[in-house]
Amino acid sequence: MDRLDNTVRPYAWGSPTAIPHLLGVEPTGEPQAELWMGAHPGAPSRTARGTLAEVIDADPERELGKEAVARFGPRLPFLLKILAAGAPLSLQVHPNLEQARAGYDDEERRGVPIDAPQRDYKDPNHKPELICALTEFDGLCGFRDPAGAADLLAGLGVDSLKPYVDLLGARPGDAALREVLTAILTADPDEMARTVAEAGAACVRLGGDHAPYAELAHHYPGDPGVLAAMLLNHVRLQPGEALFLGAGVPHAYLSGMGVEIMANSDNVLRCGLTPKHVDVPELLRVVRFEAGDPGVLRPEAAPDGEEVYETPIDEFQLSRYVLAAGGTAHDLTRNTPQILLCTAGSVRAGEHQLGPGHSVFVPAGEKAGISGAGTVFRATVRV
């Protein structure tokens, strides 16, 4: 079992205080957006044996187990994070596995540099993800019913939004959502900036259901993503609740801190709320224009006190243990790789004492027991 020394990513949208407070360290004044745990080449966790990527590369079957290597290859198939949003993240979608492979191969054939700002596909993998709230957590997830989106836009009283309101009422649901999103993302930039400014001012004045979009307009003045966001469901998670984001589902995180787990990929197609590249044709090809409930997840009880967040993905499985003082120890030994993350209290994992924000990597088959008083998240795979 290896104690992990993890990298904090200082993205501009990060909270300057949430992750430092969790770790019990002084804030630096700079944004602290994500704490990465895993073997991603961008910021692999460090251990006494080298980086976790180096440890796994040296003997994949020993570290990951034969079943995981056979199923997912000789790499840790997930990335675990603590995410702390102090400002909204970009509005985005992720491709499915077939789309990612085709897109990656196409850009490789065309010689698009992997670090080019206009590159869509950084790797041939999909990127489903799960976010579990540690604090109250606001986000956007999936499309609203078109009638609800029309009401939200109409309530602003902005004349230039009337064509979008009319479209939402004149077409079947998926066609209406496609036409309106396309119109928003391809509108004249100057006209759109004026519309967004007027819509943002109305959101400030109205508050209520419009309040989240006032915040978006404040952070991203003139960005068409502000209007695109109004087509989506606004979700407020309570601690312990989660969202699963599958392929093609538009989403954005707005504020709060959570534990996030995802397949090990960098593939992101952006809809807005960003200065980065937006590839409208490719985005429209990948987005699933399906309205519906965002589907808040709550953990399901399993034997031995484990609470499991069920998803249709095999590359990762997230669960948690809430340990009470004086309770019995839990044996977490299994034949797959694991990362154990403490988010509250003080717990013992093998020979390691963990406080909030501390984590360990457990190789496949290695004995893993936890005890103490606190909360432990377990990240692993299904084989």
Side-chain angles (χ1 to χ4, degrees):
M1 188 181 297
D2 298 278
R3 190 180 189 96
L4 298 180
D5 179 16
N6 304 305
T7 297
V8 174
R9 307 309 295 265
Y11 306 136
W13 49 262
S15 164
T17 58
I19 288 177
H21 286 173
L22 181 75
L23 296 173
V25 300
E26 284 296 316
T28 64
E30 299 298 317
Q32 307 282 287
E34 296 179 345
L35 181 70
W36 284 25
M37 290 155 280
H40 192 284
S45 299
R46 299 169 292 278
T47 78
R49 297 188 285 158
T51 70
L52 188 55
E54 293 167 343
V55 168
I56 292 171
D57 286 346
D59 194 343
E61 286 197 354
R62 178 184 181 279
E63 304 297 333
L64 306 178
K66 289 184 178 181
E67 295 90 345
V69 171
R71 181 76 186 278
F72 306 112
R75 300 290 183 269
L76 188 67
F78 63 82
L79 175 64
L80 184 66
K81 302 177 180 179
I82 293 176
L83 180 148
L89 282 67
S90 63
L91 186 60
Q92 59 188 257
V93 298
H94 305 303
N96 64 29
L97 192 55
E98 181 182 354
Q99 291 164 339
R101 287 172 175 169
Y104 178 81
D105 289 345
D106 174 64
E107 289 184 314
E108 287 290 282
R109 281 194 301 270
R110 291 191 286 117
V112 182
I114 198 72
D115 58 351
Q118 74 275 18
R119 174 112 186 195
D120 290 324
Y121 296 95
K122 308 293 187 183
D123 54 70
N125 200 14
H126 62 167
K127 193 189 177 189
E129 60 190 48
L130 176 79
I131 182 77
C132 177
L134 292 176
T135 65
E136 192 169 77
F137 193 96
D138 275 24
L140 304 170
C141 179
F143 285 105
R144 293 176 183 267
D145 176 80
D151 288 345
L152 195 69
L153 290 171
L156 295 173
V158 176
D159 290 343
S160 54
L161 292 179
K162 190 175 185 303
Y164 304 147
V165 174
D166 291 343
L167 275 173
L168 289 167
R171 301 280 192 276
D174 56 346
L177 293 167
R178 178 182 289 276
E179 287 193 40
V180 172
L181 183 63
T182 303
I184 288 171
L185 297 180
T186 57
D188 178 81
D190 292 334
E191 291 181 6
M192 177 54 63
R194 288 191 291 271
T195 297
V196 170
E198 194 173 347
C203 287
V204 172
R205 183 178 68 255
L206 293 167
D209 290 343
H210 292 90
Y213 310 99
E215 188 73 7
L216 295 182
H218 168 73
H219 285 284
Y220 298 99
D223 193 310
V226 174
L227 298 183
M230 297 185 76
L231 302 177
L232 306 187
N233 296 297
H234 175 240
V235 184
R236 177 162 292 166
L237 300 178
Q238 298 304 312
E241 295 180 334
L243 286 173
F244 172 70
L245 293 312
V249 176
H251 62 278
Y253 302 145
L254 305 182
S255 64
M257 183 164 63
V259 174
E260 185 183 34
I261 189 168
M262 63 192 64
N264 211 349
S265 171
D266 280 335
N267 288 325
V268 176
L269 292 159
R270 296 174 177 86
C271 311
L273 309 181
T274 179
K276 295 182 179 179
H277 175 63
V278 176
D279 184 339
V280 174
E282 186 65 10
L283 170 72
L284 296 174
R285 191 178 73 85
V286 167
V287 171
R288 286 167 43 197
F289 290 95
E290 300 172 5
D293 187 281
V296 173
L297 294 177
R298 296 170 181 85
E300 299 183 11
D304 194 31
E306 186 176 22
E307 299 176 333
V308 181
Y309 293 90
E310 293 289 354
T311 72
I313 297 301
D314 292 335
E315 284 93 336
F316 61 74
Q317 179 177 285
L318 187 71
S319 61
R320 70 174 184 175
Y321 288 82
V322 180
L323 308 177
T328 59
H330 297 266
D331 183 6
L332 274 58
T333 307
R334 59 184 298 163
N335 64 348
T336 55
Q338 304 178 70
I339 292 178
L340 306 180
L341 165 66
C342 175
T343 59
S346 178
V347 300
R348 191 157 190 85
E351 70 274 23
H352 302 284
Q353 194 69 34
L354 305 180
H358 299 159
S359 56
V360 294
F361 172 73
V362 185
E366 183 167 320
K367 185 170 177 58
I370 59 171
S371 60
T375 301
V376 176
F377 282 83
R378 168 158 79 169
T380 187
V381 300
R382 289 192 290 214
V383 294

